[in-house]
Amino acid sequence: METFGQRLRELRHEKKIGQIQLAKEIDVGKSIVSLWENDECEPTLSRLKALAEYFDVTIDYLAGLEE
């Protein structure tokens, strides 16, 4: 089963953007994106919503509850 960090990294690579660009898009620091992708911490609900909207996926997808 993929982790949140793995799914986030895949989505970012599919969109061909770097961590810095993603961080700017959702208004967080670059180090936060790195922590998320390495599964060292998890986003707040508001950031999770921003990620889902940015990547046009569901929160359930990001959380690993659906394929």
Side-chain angles (χ1 to χ4, degrees):
M1 181 178 194
E2 284 183 312
T3 66
F4 167 78
Q6 291 168 327
R7 286 183 180 229
L8 179 59
R9 184 177 294 113
E10 281 179 15
L11 289 168
R12 188 173 55 75
H13 286 172
E14 286 172 12
K15 204 161 181 116
K16 296 181 179 17
I17 61 168
Q19 290 181 340
I20 293 171
Q21 184 177 348
L22 176 58
K24 287 179 183 177
E25 293 288 339
I26 62 166
D27 196 29
V28 297
K30 182 259 180 206
S31 61
I32 296 297
V33 174
S34 178
L35 289 170
W36 291 342
E37 288 189 0
N38 290 311
D39 293 306
E40 294 180 29
C41 71
E42 295 178 347
T44 62
L45 183 57
S46 63
R47 295 294 182 220
L48 196 57
K49 183 179 176 193
L51 288 166
E53 289 174 355
Y54 181 76
F55 288 114
D56 195 28
V57 296
T58 65
I59 290 174
D60 283 351
Y61 174 79
L62 287 172
L65 299 174
E66 65 180 40
E67 292 295 316

